[in-house]
Amino acid sequence: MPYMIETWDKPDHGALRLDLRPAHLDYLERHKALLLACGAKLDEDGQVASGGLYLLDVDSRAEAQAFIEGDPFFAGDLFDRVTVTRWRKAYLDGRNTLDEG
């Protein structure tokens, strides 16, 4: 069952985000088989990130929690808050997935 992870950065931690970004991207690349989608939440100008959203294909909340705790953004203490929520795919890539086995 997929999980959605939403993160919120600590205020005024943009420089830390930039410092950790290369390690974060490497981590995502190493775990790309688990990712349905992920990306940063941006301000209206698309210039400043304030957190992120991850959609993971894992079997349990524990696996989703372990994934986010392994992310260099988490380990580097960037996040103010993190939520892990079970998620149901309804539409993905323009396809209705509700009728898939």
Side-chain angles (χ1 to χ4, degrees):
M1 175 60 76
Y3 282 83
M4 176 184 71
I5 300 172
E6 188 170 9
T7 65
W8 289 262
D9 292 1
K10 291 179 178 175
D12 302 317
H13 277 63
L16 178 60
R17 172 178 271 277
L18 291 177
D19 289 345
L20 296 172
R21 190 171 186 266
H24 164 74
L25 294 176
D26 287 344
Y27 180 78
L28 296 179
E29 182 63 26
R30 288 193 315 273
H31 295 88
K32 64 185 175 185
L34 301 177
L35 298 171
L36 297 171
C38 72
K41 300 184 299 186
L42 302 175
D43 67 1
E44 197 59 33
D45 294 330
Q47 300 300 311
V48 178
S50 61
L53 183 68
Y54 306 68
L55 297 176
L56 298 178
D57 190 11
V58 294
D59 293 326
S60 69
R61 174 178 297 281
E63 288 177 88
Q65 189 68 42
F67 173 86
I68 197 61
E69 288 179 9
D71 188 319
F73 280 170
F74 186 98
D77 204 29
L78 175 64
F79 299 141
D80 183 47
R81 184 165 55 115
V82 174
T83 62
V84 177
T85 308
R86 198 164 172 176
W87 179 70
R88 178 183 324 152
K89 285 189 298 185
Y91 281 81
L92 188 64
D93 290 329
R95 280 188 2 261
N96 180 338
T97 63
L98 293 174
D99 294 329
E100 295 178 357

